[in-house]
Amino acid sequence: MRVLVSGGAGYIGSHTVVQLIAAGHEVVVVDNFGNAKPAVMGRLDTLTGTHIPMHAFDVTDKDKTEHLFATERIDAVIHFAGLKAVGESVQIPLDYYQNNLESTFSLLRAMRRHGCHTLVFSSSATVYGDQAPVPYQEDYEPLGAASPYGRTKVMIEHVLRDVAHIETDWRIGVLRYFNPVGAHVSGTIGEDPQGIPNNLMPFIAQVAVGRREKLQIFGDDYPTPDGTCQRDYIHVEDLAAGHVAALNRIVNSDDPIRTWNLGTGTGTSVLEVVKAFERASGQPIPYDVVGRRAGDLPAFWADATRANEELGWHATHTIDDMCADTWRWQSQNPQGYDDSVEE
Ligand code: WQD
């Protein structure tokens, strides 16, 4: 199939592009480079051995999105594009609601106008909110997130459900990610957050490579085995494979919409991640334990049974793989993509 990947120059999008092409699909990327570097595209061409058509604009632009569908044959869409920083979303909520919702509306309308009804949507475990029993299961209701970012994902899931309920020729896969980490085994592409990383793994990687002095651990007084929060870290390559599997499933499905958790089903603590990274990198990760971060939950992980059974998909990478692959990317690219001369 010819797949449009919105946000295809981003962290998860770029890894998914590689796996889509490896699976025999053609890919077209659209990205506004708001949270990605143009250098990624040259690396993707190198990794895949093909030139990937690229459109540089924001899919909230309805006219440009319409023009893309009018000029490119698109069989399916994987929609990653959107603003995704939880803390930032609290500061600029209108930007988050407008960008994340309008980009989805713009794509859905252009898809419908051009007879393209196959969509994989990038959602997040954050939609489970803070009351859901662990492990999280897809049928849990009510959805509810604790940040404007998370609420945009909840809203979009509801939009997709309501559209698919009445327009039953849609084939929509909703994927709820847990904590994506890691990098392509070559070290050629990886996570390259702009500014100070919000997330644990990229921050640890920047400490290991000498860009940051030490890690701050946000609380070790949680009701968990070692007092630090537990999360379901999933390797970005497993996550990318989940998108390929979901695409293959929905095109052969009778369900207009279906939701799957993409997680390992295992919780790993902050301290366990630190120790695994030290093993993988051979670098000490100095840290201070400081106060809890607002909004953090003590522990959650996925029930991935539905994806295992319905997609034939399983996460295969261990936390040690995740740390080793992150370290290879970071040590080969200490400044991220800024190291590279734009191809
Ligand atoms: C993990 C653990 C922190 C940084 C977030 C979003 C979620 C999704 C994934 C988009 C927590 C601790 C972290 C640090 C630390 N993003 N930590 N020091 O918060 O589980 O999920 O990213 O979909 O929506 O909420 O991931 O990596 O930020 O934190 O101690 O410098 O690491 O307290 O316990 P989180 P995280």
Side-chain angles (χ1 to χ4, degrees), residues 127-144:
V127 304
Y128 286 104
D130 58 8
Q131 300 299 318
V134 176
Y136 290 168
Q137 295 186 322
E138 290 91 347
D139 288 337
Y140 176 78
E141 293 288 345
L143 299 183

Side-chain angles (χ1 to χ4, degrees), residues 5-341:
V5 180
S6 78
Y11 172 43
I12 303 169
S14 57
H15 287 80
T16 302
V17 164
V18 173
Q19 293 213 22
L20 283 167
I21 290 172
H25 296 289
E26 292 177 75
V27 169
V28 176
V29 166
V30 58
D31 204 304
N32 70 355
F33 293 107
N35 191 30
K37 304 278 179 26
V40 176
M41 294 314 299
R43 300 212 181 173
L44 288 179
D45 286 0
T46 304
L47 268 179
T48 61
T50 182
H51 176 64
I52 299 163
M54 164 76 221
H55 298 266
F57 67 84
D58 190 320
V59 289
T60 57
D61 184 320
K62 293 190 279 293
D63 294 337
K64 290 182 177 175
T65 303
E66 167 55 30
H67 178 72
L68 187 155
F69 277 84
T71 55
E72 295 268 16
R73 175 177 60 82
I74 303 296
D75 302 314
V77 173
I78 302 184
H79 180 32
F80 292 103
L83 299 174
K84 54 147 282 190
V86 172
E88 182 187 57
S89 76
V90 175
Q91 304 305 320
I92 50 171
L94 185 55
D95 293 19
Y96 270 70
Y97 286 114
Q98 184 164 1
N99 183 285
N100 292 2
L101 292 164
E102 284 192 4
S103 62
T104 306
F105 300 157
S106 170
L107 277 170
L108 287 173
R109 289 189 182 281
M111 290 175 73
R112 188 167 61 182
R113 272 195 302 271
H114 292 272
C116 176
H117 294 95
T118 305
L119 170 70
V120 174
F121 174 64
S122 166
S123 190
S124 167
T126 197
V127 304
Y128 286 104
D130 58 8
Q131 300 299 318
V134 176
Y136 290 168
Q137 295 186 322
E138 290 91 347
D139 288 337
Y140 176 78
E141 293 288 345
L143 299 183
S147 69
Y149 158 74
R151 281 190 279 273
T152 68
K153 295 298 187 182
V154 171
M155 289 175 177
I156 295 165
E157 286 205 22
H158 284 302
V159 167
L160 296 176
R161 287 181 195 180
D162 289 342
V163 168
H165 175 71
I166 199 70
E167 299 174 14
T168 54
D169 51 349
W170 284 96
R171 292 294 180 269
I172 298 173
V174 175
L175 301 182
R176 291 175 181 165
Y177 310 159
F178 284 71
N179 287 60
V181 297
H184 189 269
V185 69
S186 66
T188 307
I189 56 175
E191 186 174 12
D192 182 21
Q194 304 197 11
I196 301 173
N198 299 308
N199 299 138
L200 180 65
M201 188 68 87
F203 199 106
I204 289 175
Q206 290 189 11
V207 170
V209 81
R211 280 179 66 179
R212 308 274 168 206
E213 183 193 348
K214 62 170 65 173
L215 171 70
Q216 290 190 316
I217 294 181
F218 299 138
D220 66 354
D221 58 350
Y222 284 96
T224 60
D226 66 14
T228 64
C229 295
Q230 295 171 299
R231 294 289 184 273
D232 187 335
Y233 297 97
I234 175 169
H235 197 294
V236 66
E237 290 287 77
D238 283 328
L239 200 59
H243 288 72
V244 177
L247 185 60
N248 293 339
R249 163 80 183 197
I250 62 177
V251 295
N252 296 301
S253 170
D254 295 331
D255 295 328
I257 188 167
R258 189 70 167 162
T259 299
W260 293 283
N261 287 334
L262 292 186
T264 67
T266 303
T268 303
S269 77
V270 174
L271 281 172
E272 288 171 324
V273 175
V274 170
K275 294 187 181 70
F277 208 95
E278 289 180 327
R279 289 195 299 273
S281 64
Q283 304 295 319
I285 306 294
Y287 63 83
D288 288 334
V289 177
V290 298
R292 294 181 174 190
R293 182 174 68 175
D296 278 341
L297 299 178
F300 60 83
W301 50 88
D303 176 343
T305 308
R306 181 186 285 186
N308 300 157
E309 292 176 352
E310 296 183 5
L311 303 182
W313 170 91
H314 291 78
T316 61
H317 293 72
T318 66
I319 193 69
D320 291 308
D321 299 329
M322 296 174 210
C323 292
D325 293 341
T326 300
W327 175 238
R328 189 177 305 105
W329 148 256
Q330 189 75 83
S331 55
Q332 290 178 11
N333 304 272
Q335 299 304 322
Y337 291 109
D338 286 344
D339 287 337
S340 61
V341 176

